[in-house]
């Protein structure tokens, strides 16, 4: 009863239409979830807007995307040694006398629902002047139901990603570099900026209680500017800065800031 109720409550289905586990199975190799039909997963990308004449004059690429990935899983299941087909014997079991629970044929210790919209909304465009803009909004959740200690663990996350880049050839620098004629770069110089924010919240609740309590989670802010320069066909230079800030929701964890910066030199032999 608990498993179909759990699936109906967190997938928005009618409880009367969720398949019940067939407890009349007499073969341990039978699949207890054979009556459940999985949802299809998808990844859709649409790039037809760049072919519209009014937009094709300014943009070389416009892409809209949407994706979904979901799964229903369990670690294992076993058959109960105390199961019986006799209805009178079922009522005389210790489980029924103490808690009113019948002994099922299958014992399922846990079941997990995982869903990810990656992305829920995705937008990517590139102009004729080599300027790119990217935006993604992602959502995900993981629900873990334990039928051993009768607890539900829930993890929800939302993520916003904004990225932009610009590529320029023959850029004139505002300062003097020894050995560079007219302070003008001959090869491609690419500016990138990625900003992301992720909100993660973890909660736990017991099946016989109406309230849930937070167990973890944090807000994460990411800032990643960088500059790439193609020195020649063999050497590529990258100046980068990467900072990540994490602000937890619970007081037992401190705020954390990680910062990295430097220069990467990539040589192709």
């Amino acid at each position: 009863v608990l498993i179909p109720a759990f699936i109906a409550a967190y997938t928005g289905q009618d409880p009367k239409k969720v398949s019940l586990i067939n407890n009349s199975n007499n073969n341990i190799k039978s699949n207890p979830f054979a009556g459940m039909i999985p949802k299809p997963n998808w990844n859709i990308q649409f790039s037809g807007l760049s072919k519209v004449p009014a937009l094709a004059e300014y943009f070389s690429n416009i892409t809209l995307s949407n994706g979904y990935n979901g799964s229903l899983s369990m670690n294992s299941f076993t058959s109960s040694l105390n199961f019986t087909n006799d209805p009178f014997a079922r009522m005389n079991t210790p489980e029924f006398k103490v808690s009113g629970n019948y002994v099922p044929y299958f014992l399922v210790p846990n079941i997990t629902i995982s869903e990810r919209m990656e992305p829920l909304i995705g937008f990517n465009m590139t102009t004729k002047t080599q300027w790119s803009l990217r935006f993604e909004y992602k959502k995900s959740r993981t629900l873990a139901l334990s039928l051993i200690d009768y607890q539900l663990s829930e993890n929800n996350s939302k993520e916003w990603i904004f990225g932009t880049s610009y590529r320029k050839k023959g850029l004139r620098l505002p300062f003097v570099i020894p050995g560079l004629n007219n302070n003008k770069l001959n090869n491609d110089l690419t500016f990138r900026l990625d900003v992301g924010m992720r909100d993660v919240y973890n909660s736990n609740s017991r099946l016989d209680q109406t309230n849930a309590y937070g167990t973890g989670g944090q807000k994460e802010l990411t800032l990643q500017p960088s500059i790439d320069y193609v020195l020649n066909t063999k050497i590529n230079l990258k100046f980068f800065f990467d900072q990540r800030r994490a602000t937890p929701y619970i007081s037992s964890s401190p705020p954390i800031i990680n910062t990295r910066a430097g220069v990467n030199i990539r040589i192709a032999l």
Side-chain angles (χ1 to χ4, degrees):
V1 175
L2 285 177
I3 292 176
F6 167 67
I7 295 174
Y10 284 93
T11 59
Q13 300 183 53
D14 186 351
K16 297 181 180 179
K17 296 182 179 180
V18 178
S19 176
L20 294 173
I21 293 178
N22 184 11
N23 283 321
S24 62
N25 278 303
N26 56 5
N27 187 355
I28 187 58
K29 297 181 180 180
S30 300
N31 181 8
F33 298 97
M36 298 181 183
I37 302 176
K39 288 183 177 181
N41 299 332
W42 68 81
N43 186 5
I44 302 174
Q45 291 187 349
F46 176 71
S47 57
L49 292 178
S50 59
K51 299 180 181 179
V52 178
L55 298 176
E57 184 179 356
Y58 304 99
F59 301 96
S60 60
N61 175 54
I62 300 177
T63 303
L64 303 177
S65 58
N66 176 263
Y68 171 79
N69 184 277
S71 64
L72 174 68
S73 61
M74 59 179 175
N75 291 339
S76 63
F77 66 91
T78 59
S79 60
S80 175
L81 299 178
N82 297 326
F83 174 80
T84 177
N85 285 322
D86 187 355
F88 297 101
R90 288 186 178 186
M91 296 182 182
N92 292 324
T93 59
E95 292 84 354
F96 184 81
K97 292 181 178 180
V98 174
S99 59
N101 293 330
Y102 289 100
V103 176
Y105 182 81
F106 287 109
L107 295 177
V108 180
N110 53 64
I111 185 168
T112 303
I113 296 177
S114 177
E115 292 183 304
R116 300 188 303 274
M117 300 294 296
E118 295 185 349
L120 179 60
I121 301 174
F123 176 76
N124 194 345
M125 74 170 190
T126 304
T127 66
K128 296 289 187 178
T129 58
Q130 300 301 316
W131 177 59
S132 299
L133 180 66
R134 178 173 63 96
F135 172 77
E136 289 185 351
Y137 174 51
K138 303 178 181 180
K139 292 185 68 177
S140 66
R141 68 172 183 173
T142 302
L143 306 161
L145 175 66
S146 173
L147 298 175
I148 298 177
D149 55 3
Y150 301 103
Q151 294 193 38
L152 173 64
S153 176
E154 186 172 355
N155 176 282
N156 291 279
S157 69
K158 298 179 182 179
E159 185 175 4
W160 296 265
I161 299 175
F162 173 80
T164 183
S165 65
Y166 178 70
R167 186 171 61 184
K168 180 68 175 179
K169 184 177 181 180
L171 180 67
R172 190 179 300 275
L173 300 178
F175 48 85
V176 178
I177 296 181
L180 188 64
N181 297 329
N182 300 324
N183 298 335
K184 186 177 181 180
L185 299 177
N186 297 324
N187 299 325
D188 291 343
L189 184 70
T190 304
F191 299 90
R192 288 189 177 90
L193 175 62
D194 293 322
V195 180
M197 188 176 71
R198 188 167 182 257
D199 191 355
V200 183
Y201 180 74
N202 302 328
S203 64
N204 201 348
S205 59
R206 295 187 60 87
L207 301 187
D208 57 349
Q209 298 178 3
T210 57
N211 59 331
Y213 56 93
T215 57
Q218 60 187 7
K219 285 187 176 181
E220 302 173 3
L221 180 62
T222 304
L223 179 64
Q224 295 176 305
S226 64
I227 299 176
D228 289 87
Y229 179 63
V230 180
L231 189 63
N232 51 47
T233 58
K234 299 294 184 180
I235 302 177
N236 182 278
L237 303 178
K238 181 179 180 180
F239 304 87
F240 69 93
F241 177 85
D242 184 355
Q243 186 174 86
R244 302 173 186 269
R245 296 172 175 262
T247 304
Y249 281 120
I250 57 177
S251 59
S252 59
S253 300
I256 299 176
I257 300 177
N258 294 324
T259 303
R260 298 188 306 120
V263 180
N264 286 337
I265 302 176
R266 186 172 60 189
I267 303 175
L269 301 178

